[in-house]
């Protein structure tokens, strides 16, 4: 992310976009600091993205009372109606206006994330076309580790390469999540000068994507107890098992298995996921070739232990669990359904003993 606050503030409309929440937060802080705006300023107003864009413009266009600019911040703008926003004019704001739109991170399954990504691109195009300033809060591939090292250096700490790899995996490759874990690591290591893998595993709160990968890894490796433990972490409260299953667990399990399927195709062909030789077998979503390195590595490791027939059987079990929770197949409680699914997946993954 490259942000010149003075240049950005020359516009009356600024969109903070991109997938890195930490960078969006830093960008917003820099813009408000440069503009001399405090959280309790009279000429500052906040909206949520699902409100009427015409209200944002009306508020931003109001003549400031105690400041040079009237500042309006709109959070979660991706929840807004883009077509409705296109019907209003972002070009007519006075120079005293400052409308800050924040494309905050949103939860949801693959389908919702695809819709949100389309909406994000639509907002970026709309604001650019309207003469606004778009700040892309992204981190170039491979630079997240450098950011973590730099942040730790501020506290005179180093970190081992293995610890960095584990941190990246547990944060699902998200630089923002990794950076948010740094203050905890600084406090935890105390007088030690180097962050080790053991520190990461003890302190860092893993992303749900990591828990799902860990669940699948455990099942493939035959560690049923660990697989069930990861499932319970993902569920949280058994009373909310059904909600967790539909919102996160089943979609993520299906996604991980589809990535492992592609990895197995690559392994059978003796090529890497980016090889043209296997592109016809790759899915468009999720596509293993476009995933981050840690995802590719995990998928390839799991794929070496199971074959395509076993992966297909596991995918069927995930589909059956979905049908059971929806009442289309016989089932008991949501938690028991999920536990039975993990146990059956482990049975499928278990190496078959040849009978002579």
């Amino acid at each position: 992310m490259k942000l010149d606050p003075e240049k950005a503030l020359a516009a009356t409309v600024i969109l903070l976009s991109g997938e890195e929440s930490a960078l969006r937060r830093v960008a917003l802080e820099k813009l408000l600091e440069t503009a001399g705006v405090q959280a309790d300023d009279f000429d500052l107003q906040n909206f949520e993205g699902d409100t009427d864009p015409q209200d944002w413009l009306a508020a931003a266009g109001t003549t400031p009372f105690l400041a040079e600019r009237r500042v309006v911040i709109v959070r979660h703008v991706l929840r807004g109606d883009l077509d409705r926003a296109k019907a209003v004019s972002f070009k007519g704001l006075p120079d005293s206006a400052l409308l800050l739109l924040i494309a905050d991170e949103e939860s949801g399954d693959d389908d919702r994330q695809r819709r949100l990504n389309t909406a994000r691109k639509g907002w970026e195009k709309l604001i650019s076309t309207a003469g606004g300033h778009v700040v892309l809060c992204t981190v170039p591939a491979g630079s997240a580790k450098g950011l973590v090292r730099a942040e730790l250096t501020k506290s005179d700490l180093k970190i081992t390469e293995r610890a960095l790899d584990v941190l990246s995996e547990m944060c699902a490759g998200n630089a923002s999540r990794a950076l948010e874990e740094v203050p905890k690591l600084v406090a935890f290591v105390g007088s030690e000068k180097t962050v080790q893998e053991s520190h990461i595993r003890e302190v860092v709160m893993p992303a749900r994507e990591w828990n799902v990968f860990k669940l699948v890894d455990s099942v493939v490796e035959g560690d049923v107890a660990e697989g069930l433990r990861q499932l319970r972490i993902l569920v949280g409260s058994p009373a909310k098992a059904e909600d967790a299953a539909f919102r996160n667990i089943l979609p993520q399990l299906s996604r991980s298995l589809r990535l492992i399927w592609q990895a197995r195709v690559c392994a059978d062909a003796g090529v890497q996921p980016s090889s043209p030789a296997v592109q016809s077998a790759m899915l468009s979503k999720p596509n293993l070739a476009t995933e981050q390195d840690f995802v590719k590595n995990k998928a390839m490791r799991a794929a070496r232990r199971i074959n395509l027939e076993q992966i297909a059987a596991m995918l069927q079990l995930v589909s059956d669990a979905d049908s059971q929770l929806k009442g289309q197949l016989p089932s008991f409680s949501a938690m028991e359904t999920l536990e039975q699914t993990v146990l059956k997946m482990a049975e499928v993954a278990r190496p078959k003993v040849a009978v002579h």
Side-chain angles (χ1 to χ4, degrees):
M1 179 188 73
K2 293 182 179 180
L3 172 64
D4 182 340
E6 295 289 352
K7 180 180 179 180
L9 289 168
T12 55
V13 184
I14 302 174
L15 170 66
L16 302 184
S17 188
E19 69 275 10
E20 293 290 349
S21 59
L23 297 185
R24 287 197 304 272
R25 184 178 65 252
V26 169
L28 179 59
E29 290 172 354
K30 286 184 177 179
L31 289 170
L32 293 178
E33 180 183 358
T34 304
V37 179
Q38 302 294 324
D40 57 351
D41 279 0
F42 181 83
D43 286 298
L44 172 63
Q45 190 168 355
N46 292 278
F47 288 90
E48 285 292 314
D50 54 4
T51 53
D52 190 343
Q54 191 63 56
D55 291 340
W56 316 341
L57 295 171
T62 302
T63 302
F65 179 58
L66 297 172
E68 292 184 3
R69 305 187 76 167
R70 174 72 173 175
V71 181
V72 171
I73 299 175
V74 182
R75 305 303 305 242
H76 303 103
V77 74
L78 298 184
R79 299 177 186 176
D81 187 331
L82 185 57
D83 290 332
R84 197 173 184 179
K86 290 177 180 177
V88 302
S89 176
F90 287 87
K91 292 182 177 181
L93 288 172
D95 292 341
S96 60
L98 178 57
L99 178 59
L100 294 170
L101 308 176
I102 320 296
D104 289 299
E105 184 176 346
E106 303 285 353
S107 61
D109 59 18
D110 280 356
D111 287 339
R112 184 163 192 258
Q113 292 304 320
R114 281 195 288 271
R115 293 194 296 272
L116 289 168
N117 189 50
T118 299
R120 181 180 291 107
K121 292 177 180 177
W123 278 101
E124 290 171 3
K125 182 178 180 181
L126 174 63
I127 299 307
S128 294
T129 303
H133 189 90
V134 177
V135 181
L136 294 177
C137 302
T138 59
V139 175
S143 63
K145 291 182 178 179
L147 292 174
V148 171
R149 279 199 187 94
E151 196 65 21
L152 286 168
T153 299
K154 295 177 182 178
S155 299
D156 296 324
L157 290 177
K158 296 180 180 179
I159 185 169
T160 67
E161 194 63 32
R162 176 57 184 164
L164 266 177
D165 288 339
V166 174
L167 177 62
S168 179
E169 287 187 10
M170 292 183 73
C171 294
N174 187 284
S176 294
R177 292 178 184 170
L179 289 170
E180 286 167 357
E181 295 293 336
V182 168
K184 289 195 295 183
L185 289 168
V186 171
F188 184 74
V189 299
S191 60
E192 297 182 49
K193 294 297 182 182
T194 303
V195 178
Q196 306 286 347
E197 178 185 350
S198 59
H199 298 141
I200 301 297
R201 295 194 180 278
E202 287 192 62
V203 174
V204 172
M205 178 65 70
R208 286 188 175 272
E209 296 92 330
W210 184 87
N211 288 121
V212 171
F213 266 114
K214 185 65 176 175
L215 188 162
V216 175
D217 282 346
S218 301
V219 166
V220 170
E221 293 170 1
D223 190 347
V224 179
E226 179 61 21
L228 289 173
R229 190 178 79 85
Q230 292 300 329
L231 173 65
R232 290 169 188 134
I233 291 172
L234 287 162
V235 169
S237 168
K240 299 181 179 179
E242 184 171 330
D243 179 57
F246 288 131
R247 185 184 69 252
N248 180 63
I249 298 172
L250 295 181
Q252 287 291 341
L253 271 177
S254 178
R255 186 178 194 278
S256 296
L257 289 169
R258 283 181 286 160
L259 288 170
I260 293 171
W261 173 283
Q262 296 170 71
R264 183 69 222 192
V265 170
C266 294
D268 289 343
V271 299
Q272 294 298 313
S274 57
S275 172
V278 292
Q279 287 311 300
S280 62
M282 292 291 185
L283 301 173
S284 57
K285 290 285 185 176
N287 186 294
L288 183 61
T290 62
E291 293 290 329
Q292 298 182 66
D293 287 344
F294 90 91
V295 176
K296 294 177 187 175
N297 294 337
K298 276 191 167 295
M300 293 297 287
R301 284 199 299 270
R304 294 188 184 99
R305 298 186 178 93
I306 50 178
N307 57 38
L308 293 177
E309 183 180 355
Q310 290 171 306
I311 300 168
M314 290 183 186
L315 280 166
Q316 184 60 54
L317 288 171
V318 174
S319 177
D320 288 346
D322 181 77
S323 296
Q324 288 173 317
L325 292 173
K326 291 176 179 175
Q328 297 168 352
L329 289 175
S331 66
F332 294 97
S333 70
M335 191 66 203
E336 184 176 8
T337 297
L338 291 173
E339 289 176 339
Q340 287 290 332
T341 300
V342 171
L343 292 171
K344 291 175 182 177
M345 287 173 63
E347 178 62 27
V348 167
R350 187 172 294 129
K352 301 299 183 287
V353 179
V355 179
H356 298 285

